[in-house]
Amino acid sequence: MSTTASSPSSPALALLRPSPSPRASFPARSPSSVAVAVAPRSSMETPPPPPRRDPPRRVVVCGGGVIGVCTAYFLSKSAGAAASVALVEQSSVACAASGKAGGFLALDWCDGGPLGPLARASFDLHRALAAELDGPRAYGYRALTTLSLTVKESESGSGSGQQPKRGGPRDAVLPDWVDGPGRAARAIGSTATTAQVHPRLFTRALLDKAVRDYGLEVVIGKAVRVDAGSGGGSGRVSAVVLEGGRVMEADAVVLALGPWSGKFGLLSSLFRVYGLKAHSIVLEPREPGAIGPEALFLSFLPSGGGPAMDPEVYPRPTGEVYLCGMSSQEEVPDDPEEVAPNPESITVLKRVAWAVSSHLAEGEAGVKAEQACFLPCTEDEVPVIGELPGLEGCYVATGHSCWGILNGPATGAAVAELVLEGRAQTVDLTRFSPARFVLSRKR
């Protein structure tokens, strides 16, 4: 049998409007208010492993974002000569959110929810990968101090020249480069609990290592169908079919399609993944040495009134400064190269930059990039990771929303274990299983 992709949806891009809670439809990027962490289940609490299958000989990973690349990296590294691994990407590797995200990493911000164990395992894997791949030099890995800060834009539209205000002795001391009208500053992450990478460089570094040392094959093409039944029974994966008719035989397939999961019929028939469009700019300050390694999570009060917005500011070791925010749910285009920013949102982010620091004001910093990307989100705000019910050998890894860069390594390592060994060891994937959608329909 074969399962075909759904037909493309018509574009329906609505005019972006700032909302009171830009990240309301996916897990908030702030430390959890829940103090009790969710620990991984012990081996006594988890069901016994399924009967061991013969390990796959041909594995195809569809999707060249951070989740797909991490999965392909660990698959090719672990399989060695026992299996061939290929990565299929429609456009170019890290062309979407994995190239345009902020690259912020947090150890414990997901504690108290389903993502807690995954995030902790992945934070540690990021540290190990940085040591293995020379992350500080290769892709800007470094530890950060992270601050929350309220910034009220002045009526003139500029925050430059106004000194930060502090509400009391408990307020964090702001770094010198944050010289706008900030107040109520507090530390929400230390160099032990928060860090960063340049997401595109991180993804490319993993890919290059896998290709060079572990034999990963990279194929540019659009996966349109997963076939089953050819020599393996009606419920077993047999191939991935690409646009144009190329057939890639496989006895294991991983679908890591990000927000494009919603356009792939096999997945959209089981659960919904939608795209949240997030905007960002990259600035190049005239004095990059003046910008310190402090990430900022803002509550930004526009001068014209209205609800507060929640932009984020990430200085990078290269001297660049990345700002993001202004999110809205919109239709995901068929081609990743067609994603374009909304001008109104870019304008607001530039105003934010000016209000935060005179070093980021117009004339003091050049604009290197104005961009947008889609974050893959699920209805229950939990990623979908695991084997698809009813189709043996077909796995999915998607729906990571704003935590894709953080959770890429642990997701990739766990999925590789699931594919090659029949059971994930890095982290318990039970909570993320796509089977939960099938069970919910039966209730």
Side-chain angles (χ1 to χ4, degrees):
M1 81 175 195
S2 65
T3 306
T4 57
S6 59
S7 58
S9 304
S10 300
L13 301 183
L15 179 64
L16 178 65
R17 297 180 179 88
S19 65
S21 181
R23 287 182 292 274
S25 55
F26 58 99
R29 289 255 286 206
S30 59
S32 172
S33 59
V34 181
V36 180
V38 174
R41 295 182 181 180
S42 70
S43 58
M44 294 294 291
E45 297 174 306
T46 54
R52 186 178 180 90
R53 308 167 184 161
D54 292 333
R57 301 289 300 174
R58 299 178 301 257
V59 185
V60 176
V61 179
C62 300
V66 68
I67 303 298
V69 168
C70 284
T71 302
Y73 171 85
F74 285 106
L75 277 167
S76 58
K77 182 177 182 179
S78 300
S84 65
V85 182
L87 176 76
V88 176
E89 163 56 36
Q90 172 182 348
S91 182
S92 59
V93 170
C95 67
S98 298
K100 299 174 182 176
F104 180 74
L105 313 176
L107 171 68
D108 53 4
W109 285 25
C110 298
D111 282 359
L115 286 176
L118 182 70
R120 283 180 170 271
S122 215
F123 189 86
D124 290 341
L125 270 175
H126 266 291
R127 192 177 298 160
L129 286 168
E132 177 184 346
L133 303 176
D134 191 13
R137 183 192 63 81
Y139 51 83
Y141 176 88
R142 70 174 175 182
L144 289 172
T145 298
T146 304
L147 306 172
S148 72
L149 176 67
T150 297
V151 174
K152 183 175 181 180
E153 184 180 30
S154 69
E155 292 301 325
S156 65
S158 168
S160 58
Q162 302 184 49
Q163 293 302 311
K165 300 176 182 178
R166 297 177 174 85
R170 291 187 179 182
D171 281 3
V173 176
L174 287 174
D176 291 340
W177 66 273
V178 183
D179 56 6
R183 65 175 188 270
R186 62 188 181 93
I188 55 176
S190 70
T191 53
T193 61
T194 54
Q196 71 179 146
V197 297
H198 188 299
R200 180 179 60 82
L201 297 181
F202 170 70
T203 305
R204 292 293 315 189
L206 279 185
L207 181 77
D208 292 345
K209 176 74 171 178
V211 170
R212 183 178 64 249
D213 293 352
Y214 308 134
L216 176 66
E217 177 189 6
V218 178
V219 176
I220 299 300
K222 182 179 180 180
V224 296
R225 191 172 76 239
V226 173
D227 279 353
S230 177
S234 60
R236 176 79 194 184
V237 157
S238 63
V240 172
V241 180
L242 306 187
E243 191 172 61
R246 178 177 175 180
V247 177
M248 299 182 66
E249 293 185 351
D251 43 16
V253 173
V254 180
L255 300 172
L257 301 175
W260 284 271
S261 301
K263 293 182 174 290
F264 200 81
L266 176 60
L267 301 181
S268 63
S269 65
L270 292 174
F271 53 84
R272 179 175 180 242
V273 174
Y274 64 91
L276 197 67
K277 189 176 184 181
H279 292 75
S280 58
I281 58 175
V282 180
L283 303 178
E284 294 183 312
R286 184 180 296 177
E287 300 180 55
I291 309 296
E294 296 91 12
L296 307 178
F297 281 68
L298 306 178
S299 178
F300 179 73
L301 306 173
S303 60
M309 291 176 267
D310 303 312
E312 301 164 9
V313 183
Y314 305 126
R316 289 173 170 166
T318 56
E320 302 171 347
V321 178
Y322 173 99
L323 290 89
C324 65
M326 303 301 293
S327 304
S328 65
Q329 186 175 332
E330 298 185 14
E331 178 68 22
V332 179
D334 292 332
D335 187 347
E337 301 295 342
E338 295 176 358
V339 178
N342 298 341
E344 299 92 341
S345 299
I346 297 301
T347 298
V348 171
L349 288 176
K350 291 178 180 178
R351 286 166 48 196
V352 170
W354 196 351
V356 167
S357 175
S358 60
H359 295 282
L360 306 181
E362 184 178 0
E364 294 299 320
V367 180
K368 182 177 181 179
E370 300 175 355
Q371 57 197 14
C373 62
F374 281 89
L375 307 177
C377 304
T378 63
E379 294 289 354
D380 62 3
E381 302 182 352
V382 176
V384 189
I385 311 169
E387 190 171 25
L388 292 181
L391 187 54
E392 188 175 336
C394 189
Y395 305 84
V396 63
T398 189
H400 290 72
S401 66
C402 60
W403 292 116
I405 305 301
L406 167 63
N407 288 321
T411 298
V415 171
E417 292 162 350
L418 189 61
V419 171
L420 298 175
E421 304 169 18
R423 185 182 178 94
Q425 302 294 330
T426 295
V427 66
D428 183 4
L429 295 179
T430 303
R431 180 62 182 84
F432 308 107
S433 172
R436 72 184 188 266
F437 299 102
V438 177
L439 293 173
S440 66
R441 291 177 183 176
K442 293 180 178 179
R443 291 173 183 166

